[in-house]
Amino acid sequence: MYILISNVGSTSLKFKLYRMPEEEVLCEAKIEKIGSTDGIYHYKNDINGRTHGEESTPLKTYAAGINMFLSDLCDKELGAIDSVNKVQAIGFKTVISKGFNGTVELDDRVMQGMKDYLFIAPVHNAAYISAIEQFRGILPETPMVGVFETSFHRTIPLENRLYPLPYEWFEKYGLAKNGYHGASFTYVSGEARRDGDYKKIIGCHLGGSSSICAIKDGKSFDSSFGFSLQTGLPHANRSGDADPYVVPFLEDQGMSFEEIREGLDKKGGLLGISGVSNDLREIEEAANAGNERAQLAIDVFVTDIVRYIGAFYAEMGGMDKLVFTGGIGENSSLIRRLVCERIGHLGIELDAQKNEKTRGNGIISAEASKVKVQVIAANEELGIARETFRCLKEKEK
Ligand code: ADP
């Protein structure tokens, strides 16, 4: 069975075509910096090794990225299949839908639930709705499955999830911590426990969206993400933790709700502080060249990571492994080093050379380190492929 997995990030789009149940990857593509005039496109056919890469491609919309990928997918030389109709299902890493959780087929009710929760996840749900509708237009008969990002966090105990708000708001609206990045942390939890039975893992998924998860006995115990994706660490463009009274204060200063919202959603995070870019590579470059606000963005990001690691360490009563994943976690040796330097007292000693060299996967702690530090290349797609396959098989029964 050919299953196409589509991972729609806040600034990126990733595809993998799997043959299931063999879990064989036939081709993959990564599209970055969507919305800008200098998007990055990389396609690889994993069977014959052929690649297609374009830097500085104008990729204004998700639809442009999808069309570029589908054309390569069925191309004579580059393609993994000869017709897009051979795709038997599409699996999506979906974020949140009112009334749905876990793995579900994306019918009209689930799509309506995603629209109802546009307010909670405007950037993500809007991108997903647009990508799913685009695919529905091209492949109207192909089943589409959503694996919701909140599922992994259903194990978080209530005392770690509940906000100190009127209890009726929890009962009536479900106002409590949801946690996101579930597909990533499901994979991290499995991979990180391959070389030992680690009971207390802290996972840092750092990318366009960033979050930290406390994983106790393989299950989510706490997350830096709250009710919405607007919480926790600074994200590429989104605020992360900020005092909720910022909103009425700014309204009182004469700003409209739309202006405030734009600041929180699009003009905040690493972009908001640095004023340079929402992309850490460019922020690191600017900081190296002496830009003080770029340096400040890095410092705030690192401090917030350290703060959450400390909180989750205390909550779990220790940590026996620290994991970095996501575009920044896998690639930025600078962020990893700055974080680990600040938490040496928690039993962490980095191997400087291994840290410098590691991109993707590897242990980067020194032999003597009490806590192991591991870099794991995010593979949300495999978890989604497994879940999509399972969902389709159950439907066949
Ligand atoms: P998304 O959350 O949108 O899926 P990714 O997980 O791909 O995004 O992460 C994107 C982030 O990773 C960007 O901020 C980018 O700058 C950062 N990144 C990628 N490669 C590097 C690198 N070599 N050094 C520093 N940051 C990097």
Side-chain angles (χ1 to χ4, degrees), residues 20 29 49 88 90 226 265 326 348 397:
M20 296 298 281
Q88 279 147 294
I90 307 180
D265 286 355
I348 288 194
K397 279 183 199 162

Side-chain angles (χ1 to χ4, degrees), residues 9-12 14 30 32 205-209 278-281 284 326-328 331-332 359:
S10 47
T11 57
S12 68
K14 291 168 202 157
K30 183 169 186 189
E32 290 176 88
H205 180 115
L206 312 175
S209 296
N278 66 354
D279 190 298
L280 187 78
R281 282 166 287 206
E284 285 186 11
I328 294 174
N331 294 299
S332 175
R359 299 278 178 277

Side-chain angles (χ1 to χ4, degrees), residues 46-207:
D46 290 86
I47 307 296
N48 64 20
R50 296 222 163 118
T51 59
H52 174 203
E54 280 183 29
E55 304 285 321
S56 296
T57 318
L59 284 164
K60 283 247 147 99
T61 60
Y62 283 84
I66 292 170
N67 285 329
M68 207 159 166
F69 167 69
L70 289 181
S71 147
D72 281 352
L73 175 73
C74 304
D75 182 82
K76 258 196 181 154
E77 312 261 297
L78 293 163
I81 46 178
D82 53 19
S83 159
V84 75
N85 293 319
K86 291 223 167 118
V87 174
Q88 279 147 294
I90 307 180
F92 292 90
K93 186 196 73 171
T94 37
V95 178
I96 190 164
S97 172
K98 189 177 179 183
F100 298 94
N101 211 333
T103 302
V104 292
E105 217 176 315
L106 294 167
D107 59 18
D108 290 342
R109 288 173 319 144
V110 183
M111 294 300 288
Q112 186 54 49
M114 285 170 71
K115 286 176 190 159
D116 290 343
Y117 269 178
L118 253 178
F119 199 84
I120 302 178
V123 184
H124 294 82
N125 271 13
Y128 268 102
I129 291 165
S130 145
I132 292 164
E133 282 174 355
Q134 178 84 1
F135 273 114
R136 272 190 163 179
I138 301 167
L139 296 164
E141 303 303 324
T142 310
M144 316 237 167
V145 173
V147 182
F148 280 94
E149 282 284 73
T150 47
S151 337
F152 183 63
H153 302 290
R154 279 184 290 184
T155 52
I156 300 181
L158 189 58
E159 68 265 30
N160 295 356
R161 294 206 307 121
L162 202 60
Y163 294 122
L165 295 171
Y167 191 73
E168 309 85 79
W169 296 1
F170 168 62
E171 290 178 311
K172 195 166 173 198
Y173 306 111
L175 265 183
K177 208 181 254 189
N178 286 313
Y180 298 87
H181 281 152
S184 173
F185 287 122
T186 305
Y187 180 73
V188 160
S189 168
E191 286 301 297
R193 287 178 300 129
R194 272 178 188 271
D195 67 333
D197 184 19
Y198 300 94
K199 306 271 189 219
K200 295 165 185 170
I201 298 171
I202 296 183
C204 308
H205 180 115
L206 312 175

